[in-house]
Amino acid sequence: MGKAKKTRKFAQMKRVISHKDTRIKSVGETAKKKIEAKREAETKPRHIDQAVSSLFFQYNTQLGPPYHVLVDTNFINFSIKNKLDIVRSMMDCLLAKCTPCITDCVMGELEKLGSRYKVALKLAKDPRFERIPCSCKGCYADDCLTNMIKNWRCFIVVTCDTELRRQIRKVPGVPCMYISNHRYTVERMPEAFGALR
């Protein structure tokens, strides 16, 4: 006697519930939570920051001729390397009186750099530089400067740090000064006729 042939039924599988099926308790709970979160987001009012009253489109009306200039640590170092007098070069660039300002965090960073940057620290303690106390306790100097310009838009920020300049560009109405071709240059400031173009 020969073997009886068993024919397999084509494309038939055991029926198994999918792991994404909402009948499974944990999947059903997460689906409900997603729906509730979406409903809450639609009903909750959005928080929109109040517009700054000193801005006329992108033009900052608070910036006026005795300019207050926030100085960063690397800007002082690069000015010394390029043999530029900070106050005179700022006045040549902006064609107006300038008051360089240094926050406590920037001064602390200069002191931490040690004896190698002793000349920069001595220059920062010059009586022509205005010292601005900041509320942050020992934070990173770049964060301190960005907080200052977000709170008060009456400053021009001077830095040679590209990352900090990228952060400053996100804040509307705040010009940024930097060194290029052994001269100071300011961006986003139309009335700076002395700036390099």
Side-chain angles (χ1 to χ4, degrees), residues 76-123:
I76 298 172
N77 296 333
F78 278 105
S79 294
I80 292 168
K81 282 179 186 173
N82 288 314
K83 297 178 182 170
L84 294 168
D85 179 28
I86 292 179
V87 180
R88 188 178 296 134
S89 298
M90 280 180 190
M91 290 170 79
D92 289 343
C93 179
L94 297 171
L95 298 176
K97 189 174 187 291
C98 299
T99 310
C101 306
I102 289 190
T103 61
D104 291 338
C105 292
V106 172
M107 194 64 94
E109 194 175 282
L110 271 171
E111 288 168 356
K112 281 180 195 170
L113 288 172
S115 61
R116 192 172 169 196
Y117 297 97
K118 193 165 53 176
V119 178
L121 183 63
K122 194 172 183 180
L123 187 66

Side-chain angles (χ1 to χ4, degrees), residues 136-154:
C136 51
K137 296 282 184 274
C139 83
Y140 188 50
D142 292 359
D143 297 334
C144 178
L145 291 175
T146 50
N147 290 339
M148 289 286 277
I149 61 169
K150 282 178 185 172
N151 293 337
W152 300 283
R153 308 231 174 162
C154 59

Side-chain angles (χ1 to χ4, degrees), residues 11-193:
Q12 197 174 36
M13 293 174 52
K14 243 185 190 175
R15 297 192 178 217
V16 181
I17 192 166
S18 170
H19 67 280
K20 293 180 182 176
D21 199 325
T22 54
R23 290 177 286 179
I24 298 173
K25 192 175 183 182
S26 62
V27 175
E29 287 174 1
T30 55
K32 282 181 186 175
K33 284 180 184 176
K34 279 183 183 177
I35 293 167
E36 285 174 20
K38 195 174 184 182
R39 206 174 285 148
E40 271 184 42
E42 289 172 356
T43 57
K44 196 168 83 171
R46 292 184 302 165
H47 174 71
I48 300 171
D49 290 329
Q50 186 177 358
V52 182
S53 62
S54 66
L55 290 179
F56 179 74
F57 295 107
Q58 290 287 319
Y59 180 73
N60 191 351
T61 57
Q62 276 187 344
L63 286 173
Y67 294 110
H68 293 282
V69 183
L70 277 178
V71 182
D72 192 24
T73 48
N74 58 16
F75 187 81
I76 298 172
N77 296 333
F78 278 105
S79 294
I80 292 168
K81 282 179 186 173
N82 288 314
K83 297 178 182 170
L84 294 168
D85 179 28
I86 292 179
V87 180
R88 188 178 296 134
S89 298
M90 280 180 190
M91 290 170 79
D92 289 343
C93 179
L94 297 171
L95 298 176
K97 189 174 187 291
C98 299
T99 310
C101 306
I102 289 190
T103 61
D104 291 338
C105 292
V106 172
M107 194 64 94
E109 194 175 282
L110 271 171
E111 288 168 356
K112 281 180 195 170
L113 288 172
S115 61
R116 192 172 169 196
Y117 297 97
K118 193 165 53 176
V119 178
L121 183 63
K122 194 172 183 180
L123 187 66
K125 289 181 178 176
D126 192 304
R128 296 178 295 175
F129 282 63
E130 189 179 316
R131 185 83 177 263
I132 296 178
C134 57
S135 57
C136 51
K137 296 282 184 274
C139 83
Y140 188 50
D142 292 359
D143 297 334
C144 178
L145 291 175
T146 50
N147 290 339
M148 289 286 277
I149 61 169
K150 282 178 185 172
N151 293 337
W152 300 283
R153 308 231 174 162
C154 59
F155 294 110
I156 298 170
V157 181
V158 288
T159 183
C160 292
D161 186 9
T162 52
E163 188 61 41
L164 180 59
R165 280 195 359 230
R166 195 175 292 125
Q167 287 177 355
I168 292 165
R169 283 187 196 115
K170 292 176 185 172
V171 182
V174 179
C176 180
M177 190 186 290
Y178 57 95
I179 298 173
S180 70
N181 298 331
H182 303 286
R183 282 182 66 185
Y184 289 179
T185 309
V186 69
E187 62 183 33
R188 296 198 309 171
M189 193 163 176
E191 62 267 19
F193 297 112

